[in-house]
Amino acid sequence: MGKKEEQLAELLGTLGDFTSKENWDKFFTIRGTDDSFEWYAEWSELRDPLLSHLPPQPQILVPGCGSSRLSEHLYDAGFTSITNIDFSKVAISDCLRRNVRHRPDMRWRVMDMTAMQFSEEAFDVVVDKGGLDALMEPEMGPKLGDQYLSEVRRVLKCGGKFVCLTLAESHVLALLFSKYRFGWKMGIHAIPQKPSSKPSLQAYMVVAEKEVSSVLQDVTTSFNKSSFACRGSQASGLLEAVDKENQIRREYSLGSDILYSLEELNLGARGDLTKLSPGSRFQLNLGGGSRFSYRAVVLDARESSGPFAYHCGVFIVPKTRAHEWLFSSEEGQWMVVESSKAARLVMILLDASHVSASMDDIQKDLSPLVKQLAPGKDDNGAQIPFMMASDGIKQRDIVHQVTSTITGPIIVEDVIYETVDGDISRILPSRDLTFRRLVFQRSEGLVQSEALLSEEGSNSKVVGETERKKANSSSRSKRKGIQKRSGETSHQLKVYHGYLASSYHTGIISGLMLISSYLESMASAHKSVKAVVIGLGAGLLPMFLNRCLPFVHTEVVELDPVVLKLAKEYFGFVEDDCLQSHVADGIQFVRNIANSAASDETSLVQDEKDAQCNTSSNGDFESKVISKVDILIIDVDSADSSSGMTCPAADFVDESFLQTVKDALSEKGLFIINLVSRSQAIKDTVISRMKVVFSHIFSLQLEEDVNEVIFGLCSASCIEEVCFPEAALQLEKLLKLEHPEISQSIINTTKKLRHLK
């Protein structure tokens, strides 16, 4: 080996950065003027497969030409309209001197292939021999390759071809496939190899044809896959990449809910974005060149939704609410579209990456991106409004945080709302009202429990400003999550159990009107009414029952002991003779009641038979009491928010469990379930199941709330709707309430009850 060859071998071995202009200038200087260098394949191997894909008399561009003689061979084969570019001045100068006399029509220009200085659609064919591979060194990332392929797409005419000679490494194919997925027809061919005793890498020719149609087509291969797969990891990697890409294309073609990129949309993946397509919906990753990236959903309003106030609107969903059914499900998103009054709505779902950014920063970052998604060319510069899902909270203080192995992260927080219910503001008009909330992070949008804090509350933890200052002064207490006990500060605020802050709790109490006659008869006879509440939350509903309906004996069941501890320490939940709690599985608890009641009935029947056969019986069977329940309330959340039902868990509305509930209830028993779902189909399913089991079904739909409280009566006879006012007054007399405004709120809610026949 001569000195020159030794220098060349050394340079190739240490070149490292194939994107460096200086490295390539040095390389071509050492190589010399007349000594060409060929990547991958010689002309004898390339000739037939390459020429078969060239149209007659094409305008050909050869980017990254280097010192290769490929252009010269094409010229000699009759293709004389060839432009060669390379960012190495040394390479271009050498090639120009070599060809200026023999190939006078050949053009040579010093130019960066990632930023070409040609007009759009200037060429019929772009022939790349190793250029893309050189730009796609793994440690350099895909940026230069991405820029280059964008330029190729720009300078190619419609119907033009990009012929890429490559080793087809997985990271190169991944970029090539994604960039030329929409509006391209692509095939892969293996370049014939010379017989050799030494193993060598296989070179491939990828041919991508630019089309007008956005119809996705499979990537085709011209070789026998079964025999080709035996050629080692390079071949098997290629086949795997092709299969994966074709699967992606088929999913797109089937309309699967896949994330598009803005570039794909601009390429026509969803047709002409400037035109509205009523009822269409697609998702995309929005970003590229902006400060942040965003997950977005684009929805064109249905024709029945008009008239529209805006041609295009942006609706930002904060991270804390992005998981909610209203924003995460297709059905919920269409509801947002209708309320937005926008012909096209771009819904932006924020995530953890946006937490540190202000809304102003996000809006500025989004503005140029959403403009590319706006419909119409003649909107006269109409502004695109930004809307946002808000929780209406003026102030929030975290009181306590804990993570449960059952429920996950739980937060106790105190909030002051921008506006509050008129009834309670009249009762306590002097200051901003503070509410304590229990929030399960697995379903943040749904506040599990909410209590009013007041100076006339029952014993509970203190939330005063003085306490917060003391807590902040102790870093040790902070670290351990220790809170000050009640009685340690003045001006104490405590949970007030005579008021139900949650409207659905008020709805549950108002539904007791359906059995108010039975409740009055039991209270008059000084007998206890048995109630079971499945789902403790903060214990506010059981405490209200205990305080305001003292003749009701309540048992509350909670699966998570951490939740019970929080209810006692932060929400003033206190047990007594008429209120007990159980840490147990709610479904099994109800089954045990039903089984026990069935056993008591069997025993009672047997005692009657024994009495009839034994005249000496003392009649003890008459004193036996069957342990059934009069009121059974299901108020539990679902760990699986993707079901479309936030409350309850699906098992609690299973037909077999509903039958168990009926078996556990007394003859006059009332079943109450808090149903939270924005899907009318899901609500209808639950109601139809309940109709099979219970004699009468009533519904209470709360205004501006996703909660619907469903009531099931066991008795064949029930109160007529014309008697509701009288029954409501009966319930009002039974309630021991300190403020008539609260009583009136419950009575007003009874007017919303509807009999589902």
Side-chain angles (χ1 to χ4, degrees), residues 524-557:
S524 299
H526 302 289
K527 293 182 179 180
S528 293
V529 170
K530 295 182 179 180
V532 170
V533 179
I534 306 298
L536 174 67
L540 304 174
L541 180 62
M543 286 294 290
F544 184 88
L545 288 169
N546 190 47
R547 176 173 178 149
C548 302
L549 290 170
F551 59 92
V552 175
H553 184 282
T554 305
E555 292 186 83
V556 59
V557 184

Side-chain angles (χ1 to χ4, degrees), residues 70-365:
L70 175 61
S71 298
E72 298 170 21
H73 292 303
L74 285 171
Y75 191 98
D76 295 345
F79 299 92
T80 57
S81 297
I82 302 175
T83 301
N84 302 273
I85 66 170
D86 199 292
F87 67 176
S88 171
K89 186 176 181 180
V90 174
I92 292 296
S93 297
D94 288 348
C95 289
L96 181 59
R97 283 194 296 268
R98 194 171 68 203
N99 290 281
V100 67
R101 291 184 180 178
H102 302 294
R103 301 174 183 90
D105 294 331
M106 188 99 76
R107 290 174 294 277
W108 305 88
R109 295 184 64 179
V110 177
M111 190 183 296
D112 184 349
M113 61 199 288
T114 66
M116 301 183 202
Q117 298 161 21
F118 300 116
S119 61
E120 293 185 7
E121 299 189 358
F123 297 96
D124 300 294
V125 179
V126 176
V127 179
D128 176 311
K129 190 180 181 189
L132 178 61
D133 286 6
L135 293 174
M136 289 290 290
E137 284 296 297
E139 60 272 15
M140 301 300 294
K143 182 179 179 181
L144 291 176
D146 185 279
Q147 292 174 349
Y148 168 54
L149 292 179
S150 294
E151 283 291 270
V152 170
R153 183 180 64 243
R154 184 180 66 80
V155 301
L156 263 182
K157 296 177 182 178
C158 185
K161 294 181 179 180
F162 175 50
V163 180
C164 181
L165 300 169
T166 173
L167 294 180
E169 294 178 278
S170 59
H171 66 288
V172 175
L173 290 179
L175 179 66
L176 192 55
F177 287 159
S178 62
K179 291 285 287 187
Y180 293 165
R181 184 173 290 147
F182 298 97
W184 296 80
K185 183 169 69 174
M186 187 177 292
I188 302 178
H189 315 273
I191 302 299
Q193 290 180 296
K194 291 180 179 179
S196 174
S197 58
K198 296 180 180 180
S200 60
L201 291 174
Q202 171 71 56
Y204 299 92
M205 184 170 68
V206 178
V207 181
E209 185 175 351
K210 188 177 180 181
E211 296 186 319
V212 176
S213 171
S214 61
V215 176
L216 283 170
Q217 301 182 50
D218 278 4
V219 176
T220 60
T221 54
S222 63
F223 41 79
N224 187 295
K225 290 186 178 181
S226 58
S227 61
F228 198 73
C230 304
R231 298 189 183 182
S233 60
Q234 186 194 13
S236 61
L238 168 65
L239 294 176
E240 183 180 338
V242 171
D243 288 342
K244 181 179 179 181
E245 173 63 17
N246 285 337
Q247 180 60 37
I248 292 173
R249 294 183 178 218
R250 289 170 197 143
E251 289 176 356
Y252 272 81
S253 297
L254 292 171
S256 302
D257 214 359
I258 300 174
L259 290 174
Y260 294 91
S261 68
L262 188 55
E263 185 176 43
E264 288 173 332
L265 294 174
N266 289 332
L267 288 172
R270 296 290 303 191
D272 188 352
L273 281 182
T274 64
K275 297 178 180 178
L276 288 168
S277 179
S280 75
R281 171 188 176 275
F282 59 87
Q283 299 189 70
L284 74 151
N285 278 319
L286 200 55
S290 59
R291 180 179 172 187
F292 302 104
S293 62
Y294 308 87
R295 185 164 70 89
V297 184
V298 178
L299 305 104
D300 283 359
R302 294 163 176 149
E303 291 180 346
S304 58
S305 301
F308 303 111
Y310 315 106
H311 77 294
C312 183
V314 180
F315 192 92
I316 300 176
V317 182
K319 172 184 173 291
T320 55
R321 302 194 64 186
H323 69 283
E324 292 181 30
W325 183 89
L326 182 63
F327 307 117
S328 63
S329 72
E330 184 173 346
E331 187 178 352
Q333 289 165 0
W334 283 117
M335 291 183 178
V336 178
V337 174
E338 289 187 14
S339 62
S340 73
K341 297 300 180 184
R344 172 173 292 170
L345 187 69
V346 182
M347 184 178 290
I348 306 294
L349 301 162
L350 301 184
D351 56 34
S353 68
H354 308 110
V355 171
S356 60
S358 69
M359 278 301 119
D360 284 343
D361 290 340
I362 287 175
Q363 184 170 336
K364 288 177 183 176
D365 194 46

